């Protein structure tokens, strides 16, 4: 029978529950255990697919086409868990399923209530991840203890522990220990209140992980232990990482967090093996060189909007023992070529990531023009491929009014057009081309050299595609279609003949990059950037 870990958060939001959950998963895997992991989000949206990146950060996509919270990206980067749409659960999904069952007549004669019907549905989804061969299921509860939205999930995991046996369930609470700058005092009272709230619900944390800017001395930890009813060795310090988020697992390992989990849950585990992880941390701490690349995007003001892209660039740097600095440039700040020259001065590469809507599109097109003419290494992702095609059509093919049907519905030259499968779609949520699709690569191309295979699979999230009516004119002018869907109908990868690295993909390869397995396209891009100038 699988054991269960529930990770909650208190005092403040955005403390890093996702990173902590992923780190614990990594530590358990390093001991030979097989894990599964999921995120419960308390918002009423069915998924984050219709949310602005400024509201929620990036939308992460799984192989089976689920649009999920960005924390699932941490889970996949840190662990080997096979994530699916069952790994991401929202209030909207839970209530939607209960209401569907009520309408179907599953509860005939009963009044449908939060307890037991909503909580039962939450518990059903927890158990769903405890598949054959899984030793531990880690469930992260989104939100902050004390929020009204999180209450059904907290009640459900309280019930779950009662039903499954306390010896099979572990509660880990992530909290914040603030330090008052004026006096230098470390304050434990917010944590005491947060744990108090949990205990009112009926949940006693087994481990407290304390986010802090400074080291916690023994006296502070003893105080937390006493007032929160948690053993001293179970009060774990999680200090802000000095170099990288990838330090967190090692930080927890030094305090025997994995050993505490194994002991509490009665698990049989191997010795710890963090050699590969320690090796990559050494590269991050002492890189051989540094390279700066630019990312021109629509949502750069919020770092998490392109979280997976930034991480994939870091991973590619690890492969070359290089520190990758990213210059974040808002695309709507680029109105003239002079703006572009100033913004991109000195960078060794350009990335254009995904996005929706026409804001800032002309700035992206100008940036691509600069990279094409200056032979600056360029990597386009999803929308990045589309704006590269628009720029090429206008400035090389002579189609001055070329555009995407997304931005100019009545353009005479829609080099980017709505996919046939999207023609009758009305609902916005969960209706794009989503998830993993195969792509066949042309031998001898830069994409083929990067992947070193003839067919690969990448994740997608888009409604628009390259218009095949323009393939011939593009090929005559120097664009090579080096990646196509197996039936040859969908353009997946383009390259520019004679350019040192001008590669764009309709996919989101950033979702499949790991620090221990950098993505081939990002790795190739950084290598080209290192050779530039």
């Amino acid at each position: 029978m699988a054991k269960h870990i529930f990770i909650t958060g208190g005092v403040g939001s955005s403390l890093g529950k996702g990173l902590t959950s992923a780190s614990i998963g990594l530590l358990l895997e390093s001991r030979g255990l097989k894990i599964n992991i999921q995120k419960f989000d308390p918002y009423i949206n069915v998924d984050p697919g219709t949310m602005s990146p400024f509201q929620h950060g990036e939308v992460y996509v799984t192989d089976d086409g689920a649009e999920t919270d960005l924390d699932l990206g941490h889970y996949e980067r840190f662990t080997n868990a096979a994530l699916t749409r069952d790994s991401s659960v929202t209030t909207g999904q839970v209530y939607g399923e209960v209401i569907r069952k009520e309408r179907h007549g599953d509860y005939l004669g009963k009044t449908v209530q939060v307890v037991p019907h909503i909580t039962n549905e939450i518990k059903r989804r927890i158990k769903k991840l405890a598949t054959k061969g899984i030793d531990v299921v880690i469930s992260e509860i989104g939100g902050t203890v004390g929020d009204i939205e999180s209450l059904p999930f907290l009640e459900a995991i309280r019930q779950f522990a009662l039903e499954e046996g306390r010896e099979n369930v572990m509660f880990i609470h992530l909290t914040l220990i603030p330090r008052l700058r004026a006096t230098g005092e470390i304050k434990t009272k917010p944590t005491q209140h947060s744990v108090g709230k949990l205990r009112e619900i009926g949940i006693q944390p087994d481990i407290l992980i304390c986010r802090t800017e400074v080291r916690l001395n023994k006296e502070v930890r003893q105080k937390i232990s006493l007032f929160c009813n948690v053993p001293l060795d179970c009060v774990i310090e999680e200090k802000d990482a000095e170099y990288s988020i990838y330090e967190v697992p090692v930080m927890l390992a030094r305090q025997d967090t994995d050993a505490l989990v194994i002991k509490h849950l009665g698990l049989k585990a191997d010795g710890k093996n963090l050699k590969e992880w320690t090796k990559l941390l050494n590269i991050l701490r002492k890189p051989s060189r540094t390279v700066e690349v630019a990312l021109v995007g629509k949502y750069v003001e919020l770092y998490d909007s392109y979280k997976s892209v930034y991480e994939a660039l870091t991973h590619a740097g690890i492969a070359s023992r290089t520190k990758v600095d990213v210059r974040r440039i808002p695309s709507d700040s680029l109105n003239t070529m002079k703006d572009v020259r100033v913004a991109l001065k000195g960078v060794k590469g350009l990335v254009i990531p995904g996005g929706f809507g026409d804001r800032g599109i002309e700035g992206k097109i100008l940036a691509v023009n600069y990279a094409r003419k200056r032979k600056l290494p360029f990597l386009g992702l999803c929308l990045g491929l589309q704006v590269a095609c628009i720029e090429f059509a206008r400035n090389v093919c002579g189609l001055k009014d070329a555009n995407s049907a997304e931005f100019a519905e009545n353009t005479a030259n829609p080099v980017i057009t709505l996919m046939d499968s999207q023609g009758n779609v009305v609902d916005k949520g969960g209706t794009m081309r989503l998830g993993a699709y195969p792509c066949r690569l042309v031998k001898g191309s830069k994409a083929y050299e990067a992947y070193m295979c003839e067919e690969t699979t990448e994740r997608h999230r888009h409604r628009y595609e390259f218009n095949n009516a323009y393939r011939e004119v593009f090929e005559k002018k120097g664009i090579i279609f080096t990646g196509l869907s197996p039936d040859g109908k969908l353009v997946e990868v383009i390259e520019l003949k004679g350019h040192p690295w001008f590669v764009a993909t309709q996919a989101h390869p950033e979702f499949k990059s790991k620090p221990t397995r950098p993505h081939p396209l990002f790795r190739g891009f950084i290598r080209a950037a290192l050779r530039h100038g």
Side-chain angles (χ1 to χ4, degrees), residues 427-444:
D427 292 342
K428 299 291 186 187
T431 55
M432 284 185 272
R433 184 175 186 251
L434 293 164
Y437 288 88
C439 168
R440 289 186 179 165
L441 302 171
V442 174
K443 281 188 176 180

Side-chain angles (χ1 to χ4, degrees), residues 409-420:
E409 190 175 347
N410 298 316
T411 180
N413 286 292
V415 293
I416 304 298
T417 188
L418 188 69
M419 301 183 74
D420 290 341

Side-chain angles (χ1 to χ4, degrees), residues 177-216:
I177 308 293
R179 177 177 176 268
L180 301 182
R181 288 188 181 179
T183 63
E185 290 180 278
I186 294 173
K187 292 296 182 183
T188 65
K189 191 64 72 177
T191 291
Q192 294 174 41
H193 284 305
S194 181
V195 173
K197 278 283 183 187
L198 265 181
R199 291 167 72 181
E200 285 176 16
I201 295 166
I203 296 172
Q204 169 62 51
D206 300 300
I207 290 179
L208 279 180
I209 296 182
C210 303
R211 281 298 311 276
T212 173
E213 293 179 349
V214 296
R215 297 299 302 269
L216 303 179

